[in-house]
Amino acid sequence: MRVLHTLAELRQALAGTRCTFVPTMGNLHEGHLSLARQARTCGAPVVASIFVNRLQFAPHEDFDTYPRTLEHDCTLLDGVGCDIVFAPAERELYPEPQGYKVLPPPELADILEGHFRPGFFTGVCTVVLKLFNAVQPGAAVFGKKDYQQLMVIRRMVAQLALPIEIIAGETRRADDGLALSSRNGYLGNDERAEAVWLSRVLLGLQQQVSAGARDWAALERQAMETLVARGWKPDYVALRRQADLGEPRADAPLVALAAARLGTTRLIDNLELPAPG
């Protein structure tokens, strides 16, 4: 496996090659590695990027403290058959202030995560497009753990006519159901034991919808109240359509999404639901 740090090195290494791409911010866990394994099954060389993207962090968020574990990450990626790791310095991707940015449509990007993290998806789309231009993959793998992000990237690829297949990777979970996340490492022991309740709340929504509940607002409110009662500070618990994150309908497959802060750690999760019927 080769570890490359400059655009010139990357372009030389990939000249004439259509690869499968796995973009990450590093601090890798089994969820990331499952995406790399999935990429391996596509039959093309696998390129992973490791880059903590300043543009998607608000000033009060954890850009400066986000774990940088490049050596360990490269060892893990080598172990799952990754061919190239692109790990640029910030100045390599942003040699000057990034004046040109990708503005995703507000009806998709300014709700849920975008509402609570203004500008987040602009930062995501801008860096992903720049990485796509550098790597020029035939396919790219994104995890369903970041459900809204996956939808935003898919829409960007479609509207900009990029010749890239976007492949969705299933969310990987710990044995107790907690979705794997780099930010889980911020949790103390007691917080880690409590953290599973985010997925339990989503499972509860799934069970209620399957049992025939259709008062979407009441279901969301009840789920929020459950988290608050347990000491969480939820940003949202929402039922939306899988197709476009629009308001739920009884004839459409749904997804339950949640974001909440436990102590100082903000966690997100989601669970796809079949059409209520």
Side-chain angles (χ1 to χ4, degrees):
M1 187 184 76
R2 300 175 64 186
V3 181
L4 307 177
H5 299 283
T6 70
L7 291 167
E9 290 174 327
L10 181 70
R11 286 169 174 150
Q12 182 178 26
L14 292 177
T17 301
R18 296 292 276 179
C19 65
T20 303
F21 182 40
V22 183
T24 83
M25 291 207 303
N27 193 27
L28 302 184
H29 51 69
E30 179 56 32
H32 297 106
L33 299 182
S34 70
L35 301 182
R37 292 191 193 97
Q38 189 170 352
R40 181 83 273 164
T41 67
C42 294
V46 176
V47 176
S49 64
I50 297 175
F51 181 70
V52 184
N53 177 41
R54 184 185 299 271
L55 291 187
Q56 68 195 67
F57 288 79
H60 65 279
E61 293 181 333
D62 58 343
F63 173 80
D64 290 328
T65 59
Y66 195 87
R68 275 81 163 170
T69 55
L70 178 60
E71 184 175 349
H72 181 61
D73 293 343
C74 289
T75 299
L76 294 176
L77 288 169
D78 192 23
V80 296
C82 187
D83 296 289
I84 292 175
V85 172
F86 179 48
E90 188 172 27
R91 185 171 292 277
E92 181 68 19
L93 273 195
Y94 300 125
E96 59 185 55
Q98 188 70 28
Y100 289 86
K101 296 179 181 178
V102 180
L103 298 178
E107 67 271 15
L108 181 58
D110 290 355
I111 61 173
L112 302 172
E113 282 298 286
H115 175 76
F116 288 94
R117 303 181 69 186
F120 172 70
F121 288 115
T122 294
V124 168
C125 287
T126 300
V127 76
V128 169
L129 182 59
K130 182 169 279 197
L131 289 168
F132 281 170
N133 285 333
V135 177
Q136 298 190 16
V141 187
F142 289 81
K144 287 186 180 180
K145 162 69 165 45
D146 297 290
Y147 201 88
Q148 187 176 4
Q149 174 178 279
L150 172 63
M151 296 195 69
V152 168
I153 296 300
R154 274 182 168 159
R155 181 85 61 89
M156 179 183 75
V157 166
Q159 289 201 358
L160 296 181
L162 302 179
I164 302 169
E165 178 188 2
I166 301 301
I167 300 169
E170 297 296 330
T171 301
R172 296 300 296 267
R173 298 182 180 276
D175 290 342
D176 62 0
L178 177 66
L180 300 185
S181 168
S182 296
R183 289 187 170 93
N184 290 350
Y186 296 161
L187 299 169
N189 290 337
D190 291 343
E191 291 174 335
R192 172 61 186 83
E194 173 63 26
V196 68
W197 270 91
L198 195 62
S199 62
R200 289 180 182 173
V201 161
L202 297 178
L203 282 169
L205 284 173
Q206 181 186 58
Q207 292 163 359
Q208 291 176 85
V209 171
S210 296
R214 297 294 181 268
D215 188 338
W216 316 119
L219 290 170
E220 293 170 350
R221 182 170 61 252
Q222 187 178 69
M224 293 268 285
E225 290 171 352
T226 296
L227 290 174
V228 170
R230 299 190 64 86
W232 293 71
K233 296 179 180 178
D235 284 341
Y236 59 84
V237 179
L239 288 162
R240 294 290 186 269
R241 295 195 301 268
Q242 289 182 25
D244 57 8
L245 296 185
E247 294 298 321
R249 293 199 315 257
D251 63 346
L254 304 180
V255 58
L257 307 105
R261 196 171 298 277
L262 182 60
T264 60
T265 305
R266 188 176 185 272
L267 302 176
I268 65 172
D269 199 356
N270 66 81
L271 184 65
E272 292 181 320
L273 286 62

